[in-house]
Amino acid sequence: MSDSSASSSSAARALDQNVFDEWPANVRAWFDGASLADKTGFTASLLSVDANGHVRTSLLSVGELYAPDSRTLGIALWPQARATRAITQSGRAALSFVCDAAFYQVQLRVTPLPCAAGDASGLVYLLASIDTGEAQSVRYARLTGGITFELEGEGSAVLARWERQLEQLKRAVAASRR
């Protein structure tokens, strides 16, 4: 019995937990809208709760996330996604992902953005502010990835679409700040 409690005690001390209300520099660099080809495979999970209490998830790439500053995040979602409806109704979401060997979960307050002029993408744009964020890692194991993917077939077309999406998202975010 003492062995397991000693082990639990050691494991508890091995947890590094950092709370933040601004994007850490390494995370913000992932969401800066630049060098998308170098960031393919990264996936973040956007979680929300719908009116029936069901958790809804949208898996997002760097082509759908943009951090214009240290406290906010622009998000581009497909209108038919169940998470889109849940988020626009509740104004709340959580974003989780793995970055630089740590697990991140960020609680967000979310408001819809109007589409930028000339945007024909059909996407829904949201502006989220960090309510609170937390990064966790342990000393005895290194996270090497979360949910990841590889672009297949028309990867260059996907990258081009992401670049267009992010330009529209950046315009929508900029317009909201005028």
Side-chain angles (χ1 to χ4, degrees):
M1 187 77 158
S2 63
D3 287 340
S4 70
S5 64
S7 174
S8 296
S9 174
S10 296
R13 285 193 306 261
L15 176 68
D16 287 328
Q17 194 168 5
N18 298 308
V19 176
F20 59 89
D21 62 1
E22 292 188 10
W23 294 115
N26 63 324
V27 172
R28 189 164 174 212
W30 274 102
F31 303 147
D32 65 2
S35 304
L36 297 179
D38 296 336
K39 299 173 185 174
T40 61
F42 174 88
T43 306
S45 180
L46 186 68
L47 304 159
S48 58
V49 178
D50 69 15
N52 295 322
H54 297 133
V55 174
R56 299 299 180 191
T57 303
S58 286
L59 298 178
L60 305 176
S61 70
V62 293
E64 296 151 325
L65 301 165
Y66 167 63
D69 59 49
S70 64
R71 294 183 181 264
T72 56
L73 183 68
I75 304 168
L77 294 175
W78 294 106
Q80 66 272 24
R82 293 177 297 181
T84 303
R85 197 169 30 256
I87 293 167
T88 55
Q89 290 173 354
S90 71
R92 305 281 301 175
L95 187 74
S96 60
F97 53 91
V98 172
C99 182
D100 292 339
F103 173 76
Y104 287 82
Q105 188 163 63
V106 186
Q107 302 298 317
L108 302 168
R109 295 181 190 271
V110 186
T111 57
L113 290 171
C115 288
D119 180 15
S121 70
L123 294 170
V124 173
Y125 300 117
L126 306 170
L127 188 63
S129 60
I130 297 173
D131 186 15
T132 185
E134 188 175 285
Q136 296 180 6
S137 61
V138 292
R139 294 182 196 116
Y140 58 85
R142 182 176 179 277
L143 289 174
T144 58
I147 300 169
T148 60
F149 67 94
E150 290 180 9
L151 291 176
E152 294 181 352
E154 300 178 20
S156 60
V158 171
L159 284 172
R161 179 175 50 86
W162 286 356
E163 289 172 2
R164 287 190 305 273
Q165 284 175 192
L166 283 175
E167 286 309 311
Q168 294 298 333
L169 181 56
K170 288 176 185 180
R171 286 187 192 117
V173 168
S176 75
R177 295 176 173 211
R178 292 184 193 137

